[in-house]
Structure formats: C-alpha cells, structure tokens
Amino acid sequence: MKTTVEKLSSNQVKIDFVVDAQAFEKGMQTAYNKLKGRISIPGFRRGHAPRQVIQMHYGPQVFYDDAFEAIFPDIYREAVEEHKLDPVDRPSVAEVSQIGQGQDLIFSATVYVRPEVTLGQYKGIPVQKQSVDVTEDDVNAELERARERVARFVDVEDRPAKLDDQLDIDYAGFCEGEQFEGGTAQHHKLVLGSGAFIPGFEDQLVGVKAGDQVEVNVTFPTPYHSEKLAGKPAVFKVTVNAIQEKEVPALDDDFAKDVSEFDTLAQYKDSIRERLTRQAEDKADAAFENELIEEAVDNAQVDIPDCMIQQQLDEMMQEMEQRMRYQGLNMQDFLKYTGQSAEQMRKNYKGEAERRVRTRLVMEAIRKAEDIQATGEEIEAEVKDQADKMKKSVEEVKKMLGGMEKAYFGDSISMRKTIQLLKDTAVSQQDVEEQEQREEQPAQAPAGKEDAGQQE
C-alpha cells in the first residue's frame, strides 16, 4: 500500500491511498463470507452459493462496500502511524477513484487532526499576584457566623412576633376558593425575613402573637414553578403555634471550647485568622494562575475544528447530568424546569467548551515547546501521595492502575510544572514600566570622554 498526505489546513489533512489488488481481494472474500447467508440464488441453499455465481447474478460490485469497510480500519491505522498523524475525529472518505475486482483500490479520505498552535508570549507575562490582607473585621465576621451556627431559638410569650423571630405555624393555602396541592403544612418552622415564602407572606406575620389565627393574602409571582398558581391571588389560613427568638452565645472562652478544639477565644481567633489567610492565599494564587493562563491562551493562535468543541460539549453535558443525579435530579426535568432544550443548552455552553479546548491545546503546546516532562521520581511521589489519601499501599495503587501510573499521573504533573513556568517567569506591571523607562532613556557617553576631547 502507498499513501501520501496533503495538508488542507492547520487542522485537516487529506490521505491518498493506493491499495494493491491482492489486499482488496481479501476484503472481497471477507465481504462474501459476511453476505452469502443473506443472498438467495436459485438452485443453491442459502449461504452455499459460490462467490463467482453470486457475482454472475449481481455483479462483483455487490461486495464492494463491505469489502471496503473490511479493509479500511487496518489501512487507515497504518497510514496514521506511518505519517505520525494525530486524528481528533473519524475520517471521511472524500473520493474513490478506482475500485474493482483485480484492480488496485485508489481513494482519498480527509480527517481533522490536532491543530497546530502558534504560540505567542507566555514567558514574562505582566501579571502580578494580589497581596493577601486578612483584617480584624474579617475575623470578627467569621466569629459571628460561628455564633449564628450554634444559635438556638427559645420560646417567647410576652411580645408579638418581629423580624428574625422563628414561628411555628400551621397553614393551608386557597386559590379561587379551592385548597391547592402543596399549600398545607403543620408545625412548619419559618424565620420572618428569611424570604423562604413568596413575597408578602412573612411581612403579614410580623406582629402576630402565639395562638393567633390569621389570613395572609398574597399573589403568586410570574413565572412560578406551578403554572396553575403563577400570577394568581391566594389566601393562606395560618395558625401561630409558637414564637421563638434567636439566642446567640457570648464571645468568650466557653464559646471557643464549644465550637473548636481551642481552650481560649484568643487561640480560636488566631486559628480563624490563619485559616482565612490560607484560603485568601489559595484564592489569590488561583486567580494569578488563571490570569496567566488566559493571557498565554489569548496570545496564541489556533484554529480549532468544530468536532473537538462538540466532543468537549459532550463531556460537559455528561458532567452536568452526573452532578444532577447526585442531587436527585435528571436532565429532562432540569430542561423542562428551565424552559430550554438540550440544543439550546449546548449552544449556551459552546463558548465555554471552545475556551476549554483552546486552553488545553495551548498549554500542551507550551509544555512541548519547553520539553516539560514528569520524572520517574515525581511520578513515584505522586503514587505515594495518592496511596496515602486512599489509605492503601503503593503496590496496591500500582496494581489498580495496571502499570499505567506514568500515563495516569504524568500529564497532571507536567501540566502543573508548565503552570509553574508561567508563574516563575511572570513580571509585575511595575517591572514592565521600569524596563520601558530604561529603554526610552538615551544612551549616555562614558564618563570623562568629553573632557578628554577638550584636552586634545
């Protein structure tokens, strides 16, 4: 077999095939063995008619399509390996110039390949990591959230309900005089001002007392998840069983002991400050990385075939569907609730899918340009770290991976090293401005040269 490759664009090639007659003959025989049981020839039991007899009745072309399909996978794979192609989609047969029994098979196929990336600037990108500053207000806000988490509600009987109180209520909802499904509950806990109920409901309970029976008049919003109720007025008959107010603990050492492993409030505050600082540094580092990657991607040029974007969209849709299943939902119900189709959803996420593909291609190109690879020691350390997390031995993890630990961990390690390259070579905007100022300054004559000229 002879093959030649013609580059059609930065992401597509055409492969011309010349397959010798003997190879095509094997395909013809394979096709005959596949089809003979489906072809009826007078005088022969089904499946026993010789190939030559079938060809006399129907012509040899009856086997051409199946013969082609039989030999194509192997010859295509051989061409890909010979020319070191990296296909990203299935090939498409463009033209069959010659096909026939006893003849060479001549045809061409096109296929999208991993596109070429023209890298722009990726070293020395002017991005500065933001400084981290955790203030006393940040620590106090976290303390208040901790107090809220352990707050309790206690009964009050000497005053009417106010915002932030919790009410224990029974209620029944009526729309157009009829009680509607889903509008009834007993001993429901409702915090006034929480916005848990439709607008206007909670406001009308401010001022009630325990034991009161009141009617709450509201109008359902439009849109609303129940089409029968959307935009319609409703009346809720409410019985107030109890009123409770929130009681938060004092900020003292006892509080610190209750909510943490520390003995004093000062120690607890220090631990909060350390945690918030660590979180802020992680957030700043992530933002730093993302900005560097975005700059490197924007500075590069790559023509992405649509098939890669569609494949990425497939993965994103599968990820979303899996997350929904964890939450007890399914894609069909989600689409119905949001009023969109799967095609509309794919259209909405297409830009994000393209960005993900572009980012992956550019980062892989940088890794290749810098010859960044994971060392054996780094892979071994990654395997050990994974084993520790899984509480298994290194040998058990390697056995699970079936000796594929290099492929499994190598890419993630080398990608982290590529990102680190961007971070290590990044420069601040101040450094850029100082460099530009130095370049704009005129060159000065060496000291003493002017005096030397005068002496001459």
Side-chain angles (χ1 to χ4, degrees):
M1 181 182 74
K2 296 180 181 179
T3 58
T4 57
V5 172
E6 178 186 353
K7 183 178 176 181
L8 300 179
S9 66
S10 63
N11 59 29
Q12 189 180 38
V13 298
K14 183 177 79 166
I15 312 172
D16 292 318
F17 294 84
V18 179
V19 183
D20 60 76
Q22 185 177 1
F24 186 64
E25 171 58 27
K26 292 181 180 179
M28 291 284 285
Q29 188 61 33
T30 300
Y32 163 70
N33 292 331
K34 174 185 175 182
L35 297 174
K36 62 182 181 180
R38 308 176 197 171
I39 299 175
S40 298
I41 299 293
F44 294 92
R45 286 185 296 149
R46 184 181 294 273
H48 288 76
R51 177 179 151 192
Q52 292 79 2
V53 174
I54 295 175
Q55 292 180 176
M56 286 176 60
H57 276 76
Y58 296 102
Q61 63 270 19
V62 70
F63 297 123
Y64 287 174
D65 288 346
D66 288 275
F68 186 93
E69 291 180 6
I71 65 173
F72 181 76
D74 289 338
I75 61 178
Y76 171 70
R77 182 168 52 251
E78 184 180 334
V80 167
E81 293 174 355
E82 178 185 354
H83 297 282
K84 296 181 174 57
L85 302 178
D86 191 359
V88 295
D89 197 14
R90 294 180 178 180
S92 175
V93 176
E95 180 185 5
V96 178
S97 302
Q98 179 174 291
I99 185 171
Q101 187 174 5
Q103 296 180 331
D104 291 345
L105 172 63
I106 303 175
F107 71 98
S108 62
T110 59
V111 65
Y112 285 102
V113 294
R114 184 172 295 273
E116 299 173 358
V117 178
T118 302
L119 291 173
Q121 180 185 9
Y122 60 88
K123 291 181 180 178
I125 295 177
V127 174
Q128 187 169 2
K129 183 178 177 180
Q130 296 298 315
S131 59
V132 171
D133 181 24
V134 175
T135 66
E136 193 68 19
D137 288 342
D138 296 329
V139 176
N140 290 335
E142 190 68 17
L143 281 172
E144 286 303 314
R145 283 189 284 271
R147 292 177 74 198
E148 289 291 329
R149 284 195 294 271
V150 296
R152 64 192 185 100
F153 285 94
V154 295
D155 290 337
V156 294
E157 298 178 353
D158 57 347
R159 63 168 178 80
K162 60 182 179 62
L163 289 176
D164 296 327
D165 283 348
Q166 177 175 271
L167 272 57
D168 181 308
I169 60 174
D170 301 337
Y171 64 84
F174 297 83
C175 183
E176 298 177 345
E178 297 291 333
Q179 188 169 343
F180 57 84
E181 184 179 356
T184 304
Q186 285 77 44
H187 294 289
H188 181 85
K189 298 294 192 296
L190 173 64
V191 177
L192 299 184
S194 64
F197 275 36
I198 61 177
F201 187 99
E202 296 168 24
D203 295 339
Q204 296 178 54
L205 294 179
V206 174
V208 299
K209 294 181 179 180
D212 283 354
Q213 294 182 344
V214 297
E215 289 189 354
V216 175
N217 293 275
V218 294
T219 300
F220 283 99
T222 304
Y224 191 65
H225 62 81
S226 172
E227 295 181 1
K228 294 181 179 179
L229 300 175
K232 292 184 178 180
V235 177
F236 284 86
K237 296 181 179 181
V238 180
T239 299
V240 182
N241 300 315
I243 300 174
Q244 298 177 316
E245 65 180 0
K246 186 185 294 184
E247 186 179 83
V248 295
L251 279 175
D252 53 23
D253 291 344
D254 289 336
F255 166 71
K257 292 177 183 177
D258 289 339
V259 300
S260 72
E261 70 272 24
F262 301 101
D263 294 326
T264 68
L265 181 62
Q267 291 173 332
Y268 181 44
K269 288 181 68 174
D270 287 341
S271 74
I272 291 176
R273 184 176 289 102
E274 291 174 4
R275 174 169 57 82
L276 292 179
T277 300
R278 186 167 57 252
Q279 291 174 347
E281 288 176 345
D282 290 343
K283 184 177 180 181
D285 194 55
F288 181 49
E289 288 183 5
N290 290 336
E291 192 170 354
L292 286 169
I293 292 172
E294 286 180 5
E295 285 288 331
V297 171
D298 289 341
N299 292 339
Q301 295 180 359
V302 55
D303 184 15
I304 304 173
D306 187 65
C307 60
M308 294 188 74
I309 299 173
Q310 295 303 323
Q311 291 165 10
Q312 181 65 50
L313 276 170
D314 290 341
E315 293 180 14
M316 292 170 65
M317 295 290 283
Q318 290 170 5
E319 290 171 2
M320 284 186 280
E321 195 162 6
Q322 189 173 20
R323 287 197 299 269
M324 289 177 192
R325 282 199 296 269
Y326 289 149
Q327 299 171 4
L329 303 173
N330 60 63
M331 182 64 76
Q332 288 72 26
D333 289 342
F334 175 79
L335 293 173
K336 182 179 179 180
Y337 183 75
T338 56
Q340 61 181 330
S341 65
E343 285 305 312
Q344 288 174 323
M345 194 171 181
R346 290 177 70 91
K347 184 178 180 180
N348 292 338
Y349 283 100
K350 186 174 182 179
E352 171 63 20
E354 181 178 1
R355 188 69 183 179
R356 290 190 187 186
V357 175
R358 186 178 300 276
T359 299
R360 183 173 69 248
L361 291 172
V362 171
M363 294 302 291
E364 288 174 353
I366 295 174
R367 181 177 65 182
K368 183 177 180 181
E370 295 291 333
D371 193 25
I372 297 175
Q373 300 179 22
T375 65
E377 292 79 7
E378 290 169 335
I379 293 174
E380 285 296 319
E382 193 83 1
V383 174
K384 185 178 184 306
D385 182 62
Q386 188 69 19
D388 292 341
K389 290 179 180 178
M390 298 173 64
K391 296 182 180 180
K392 295 181 179 292
S393 68
V394 170
E395 290 71 23
E396 287 176 313
V397 173
K398 287 185 175 181
K399 187 176 181 180
M400 289 170 56
L401 297 173
M404 297 294 290
E405 57 268 15
K406 182 175 181 180
Y408 191 79
F409 294 115
D411 282 347
S412 61
I413 294 171
S414 58
M415 189 55 65
R416 289 201 301 267
K417 293 169 73 173
T418 303
I419 295 173
Q420 191 62 47
L421 170 72
L422 302 186
K423 294 166 67 174
D424 291 342
T425 60
V427 296
S428 68
Q429 187 61 38
Q430 181 179 353
D431 292 337
V432 173
E433 292 173 355
E434 290 176 354
Q435 178 64 29
E436 290 176 348
Q437 290 175 359
R438 286 193 295 269
E439 292 175 354
E440 290 174 359
Q441 291 177 355
Q444 298 180 354
K449 183 174 181 179
E450 185 177 344
D451 293 340
Q454 290 177 351
Q455 290 175 4
E456 293 177 0

